[in-house]
């Protein structure tokens, strides 16, 4: 019957059924395009010259970096002659070890300045595999490694690779400032799970289990943690791993950038080294923190080939391979020996001395709570008892943002508000500066707080 009607329709000059279906599909697409165009037009914003300067919804959903805002404010004050002490950057004051710098200079002199494979040179990926096996107890092959322009790029590519719109990214707070925004860039939903200073800012496994759903796609763990300096004990990670194992869709991104800036008796455990977790874990690391190589811009991701290849696909359309010179320097860095050898241990010893100085300086102050970091080079200090006070010539101290502005203007010390990390009760102080600089900064902070108290 259907064929007879089709033949009759054709003989009368009517379009065929397949043509009608195509016309209907094209009309549907056209209507969808019109709807999108109307929606885009309704969100347009035109400047004085008539140019549409509206931005995408993706960008509108991302919050600006408070760290960069503090940096801009501090820079403006410095340029006007104010002697600002900058304790907001996550950057070591040490120089890159000479043997690493020399390897980079040799690469330039030898003409090693051309494109490299998108995933990184085989030489470097083999060195990373050796490091992961010897130091982290993780076995990967070179085709399970992608080298990027810094660990931050590795993380955002991982989030984009595994998360779809509507997925949830589980993030313990305090968190590295960019984690939630990376989730939003992927049209995923950041789910923030609070931790507390009384529990060493460590994630409660029960809280994690209670908040997992069928939409939970990625759990981000950072140990040692930026900004708190918390180090996850192996036993706690094993509890978390047991929960992860119950959820087939859930992957773990383990940010291990500060793994070797750690203070005994604390020890670092890579999540992928736990039983059953290697196939569920994307391990991210870099050279910036351990080897004082922030400007060299080099990081990497290691994990199951399926996921890492997807990260490489994204990178191939973003930046392609990382700097050839930096990769040669990275090979030299990873060749310094276990945990970076003497060059890194010297830096860690200095960081520990600075940490201890800050802890002793603030420990006995009224209304101050401070956690002793087990890794990294930050202290995350609770100064919320000063909220609600009026500062002469400044105004009301309402939260960590206004307190940091006050300390910058009154004490001339630039710090990062805890709100940037998801905990408004605290502020972050970097001790990646000399002891003499930290001593001056502590005096300024204390004087400003005493003035606020009176």
């Amino acid at each position: 019957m259907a064929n007879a009607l089709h033949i009759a329709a054709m003989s009368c000059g009517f379009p065929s059924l397949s043509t009608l279906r195509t016309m209907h599909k094209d009309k549907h697409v056209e209507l969808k395009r019109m709807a999108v165009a109307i929606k885009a037009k309704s969100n347009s914003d035109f400047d004085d010259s008539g140019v549409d300067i509206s931005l995408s919804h993706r960008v509108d959903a991302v919050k600006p970096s408070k760290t960069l805002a503090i940096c801009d404010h501090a820079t403006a004050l410095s340029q006007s002659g104010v002697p600002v002490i900058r304790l907001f950057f996550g950057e070591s004051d040490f120089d890159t070890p000479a043997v690493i710098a020399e390897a980079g200079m040799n690469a330039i002199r030898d003409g090693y300045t051309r494109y490299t494979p998108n995933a990184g040179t085989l030489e470097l990926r083999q060195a990373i595999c050796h490091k992961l096996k010897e130091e982290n107890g993780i076995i990967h092959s070179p085709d399970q490694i992608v080298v990027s322009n810094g660990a931050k790029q590795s993380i955002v590519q991982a989030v984009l690779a595994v998360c779809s719109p509507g997925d949830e990214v589980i993030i313990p707070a305090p968190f590295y400032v960019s984690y939630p925004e990376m989730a939003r860039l992927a049209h995923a939903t950041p789910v923030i799970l609070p931790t507390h200073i009384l529990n060493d800012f460590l994630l409660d496994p029960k809280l994690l289990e209670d908040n997992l759903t069928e939409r939970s796609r990625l759990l981000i763990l950072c140990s040692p943690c930026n900004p708190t300096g918390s180090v996850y004990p192996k036993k706690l990670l094993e509890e978390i791993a047991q929960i992860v194992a119950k959820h087939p869709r859930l992957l773990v991104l383990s940010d291990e950038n500060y793994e070797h800036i750690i203070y005994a008796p604390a020890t670092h455990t890579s999540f992928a080294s736990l039983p059953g977790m290697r196939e569920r874990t994307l391990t991210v690391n870099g050279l910036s923190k351990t080897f004082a190589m922030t400007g060299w811009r080099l990081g990497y991701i290691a994990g199951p080939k399926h996921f890492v290849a997807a990260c490489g696909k994204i990178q191939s359309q973003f930046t392609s391979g990382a700097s050839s010179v930096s990769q040669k320097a990275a090979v030299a860095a990873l060749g310094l020996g276990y945990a970076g050898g003497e060059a890194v241990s010297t830096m860690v010893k200095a960081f520990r001395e600075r940490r201890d100085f800050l802890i002793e300086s603030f420990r006995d102050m009224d209304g101050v709570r401070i956690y002793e970091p087990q890794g990294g080079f930050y202290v995350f200090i609770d100064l919320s008892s000063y909220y609600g006070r009026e500062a002469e010539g400044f105004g009301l101290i309402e939260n960590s943002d206004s307190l940091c502005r006050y300390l910058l203007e009154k004490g001339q010390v630039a710090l990062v508000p805890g709100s940037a990390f998801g905990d408004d009760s605290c502020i972050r102080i970097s001790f990646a500066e000399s002891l003499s600089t930290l001593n001056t900064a502590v005096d300024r902070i204390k004087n400003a707080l005493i003035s606020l108290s009176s």
Side-chain angles (χ1 to χ4, degrees):
M1 178 66 73
N3 287 335
L5 289 174
H6 177 70
I7 294 170
M10 290 290 290
S11 64
C12 294
F14 290 109
S16 67
L17 292 177
S18 61
T19 301
L20 286 171
R21 290 191 188 102
T22 301
M23 291 171 62
H24 174 75
K25 181 179 180 182
D26 290 344
K27 188 66 176 177
H28 180 65
V29 171
E30 182 181 350
L31 289 172
K32 284 182 68 177
R33 286 175 176 162
M34 288 174 61
V36 171
I38 293 170
K39 185 176 182 180
K41 186 175 181 180
S42 66
N43 290 327
S44 296
D45 187 12
F46 295 90
D47 65 9
D48 294 339
S49 62
V51 175
D52 183 351
I53 59 172
S54 61
L55 301 174
S56 71
H57 294 288
R58 179 183 291 106
V59 172
D60 287 339
V62 175
K63 299 175 183 177
S65 169
K66 289 190 177 182
T67 307
L68 294 181
I70 290 289
C71 176
D72 291 343
H73 193 176
T75 299
L77 288 174
S78 296
Q79 290 174 345
S80 66
V82 178
V84 174
I85 297 177
R86 301 153 72 93
L87 301 183
F88 57 87
F89 264 153
E91 182 172 53
S92 170
D93 61 321
F94 290 99
D95 292 331
T96 302
V99 66
I100 301 174
E102 187 65 28
M105 290 186 286
N106 285 340
I108 296 172
R109 283 192 287 262
D110 295 342
Y112 196 79
T113 55
R114 300 185 182 278
Y115 290 135
T116 69
N118 177 63
T121 65
L122 179 60
E123 178 186 32
L124 177 54
R125 286 181 287 132
Q126 287 175 333
I128 291 170
C129 289
H130 178 76
K131 176 254 187 267
L132 290 172
K133 178 182 178 182
E134 297 299 318
E135 298 182 4
N136 304 92
I138 310 170
I139 297 178
H140 283 307
S141 56
D143 60 358
Q144 294 176 299
I145 310 289
V146 169
V147 178
S148 302
N149 300 279
K152 181 182 283 190
Q153 181 180 1
S154 295
I155 296 171
V156 72
Q157 288 176 172
V159 175
L160 290 170
V162 304
C163 292
S164 299
D167 281 344
E168 295 176 344
V169 179
I170 314 300
I171 306 171
F175 46 71
Y176 173 56
V177 292
S178 297
Y179 292 158
E181 309 317 313
M182 291 173 174
R184 293 186 179 101
L185 280 173
H187 296 297
T189 301
V191 177
I192 310 302
L193 302 185
T195 65
H196 198 276
I197 192 171
L198 295 179
N199 296 319
D200 298 340
F201 294 114
L202 296 171
L203 177 62
D204 179 357
K206 186 177 186 308
L207 181 65
L208 171 64
E209 190 160 27
D210 290 346
N211 282 274
L212 292 177
T213 70
E214 69 278 0
R215 296 184 301 276
S216 301
R217 180 57 170 157
L218 190 65
L219 166 65
I220 300 182
L221 295 176
C222 182
S223 179
C225 177
N226 174 12
T228 65
S230 301
V231 174
Y232 276 76
K234 184 176 182 179
K235 183 177 179 181
L236 177 56
L237 289 177
E238 288 172 340
E239 291 182 51
I240 293 173
Q242 290 175 3
I243 295 170
V244 170
K246 299 176 185 177
H247 297 265
R249 287 200 73 232
L250 186 61
L251 304 174
V252 176
L253 189 148
S254 183
D255 183 347
E256 304 182 5
N257 253 299
Y258 294 87
E259 65 167 330
H260 291 315
I261 304 176
I262 199 164
Y263 313 113
T267 57
H268 173 72
T269 299
S270 288
F271 196 81
S273 70
L274 301 177
M277 289 299 109
R278 188 170 72 93
E279 298 306 317
R280 306 282 291 270
T281 305
L282 300 167
T283 302
V284 173
N285 210 325
L287 286 294
S288 295
K289 311 303 181 182
T290 298
F291 298 101
M293 294 178 66
T294 49
W296 296 80
R297 306 311 306 133
L298 207 74
Y300 60 87
I301 189 167
K305 185 176 179 180
H306 172 71
F307 297 121
V308 170
C311 295
K313 183 190 295 186
I314 293 172
Q315 179 163 297
S316 71
Q317 302 297 349
F318 273 10
T319 63
S320 297
S323 161
S324 57
V325 174
S326 297
Q327 291 188 62
K328 276 293 187 183
V331 172
L334 295 177
L336 287 177
Y338 190 91
E342 184 179 354
V344 173
S345 64
T346 299
M347 288 189 275
V348 173
K349 181 179 178 181
F351 286 140
R352 181 167 194 147
E353 186 179 3
R354 299 170 187 182
R355 178 203 68 167
D356 294 345
F357 168 74
L358 287 181
I359 296 297
E360 290 304 313
S361 297
F362 289 108
R363 192 192 301 274
D364 296 328
M365 284 189 66
D366 290 338
V368 173
R369 291 194 297 178
I370 187 167
Y371 165 71
E372 183 174 297
Q374 304 301 298
F377 41 64
Y378 315 103
V379 291
F380 205 56
I381 181 170
D382 185 342
L383 297 175
S384 59
S385 64
Y386 290 90
Y387 298 172
R389 303 187 188 188
E390 195 80 23
E392 184 178 353
F394 177 85
L396 183 66
I397 304 297
E398 298 179 284
N399 47 35
S400 63
D401 291 69
S402 54
L403 179 59
C404 282
R405 288 197 305 271
Y406 169 74
L407 291 174
L408 178 55
E409 296 176 16
K410 177 73 175 179
Q412 300 172 357
V413 181
L415 309 168
V416 186
S419 60
F421 309 101
D423 187 340
D424 193 44
S425 64
C426 297
I427 62 173
R428 190 189 76 173
I429 305 175
S430 168
F431 51 86
E433 289 288 348
S434 67
L435 269 177
S436 60
T437 299
L438 292 175
N439 190 40
T440 302
V442 167
D443 287 342
R444 292 185 184 183
I445 293 170
K446 283 187 171 181
N447 289 334
L449 294 176
I450 290 171
S451 176
L452 187 60
S453 300
S454 61

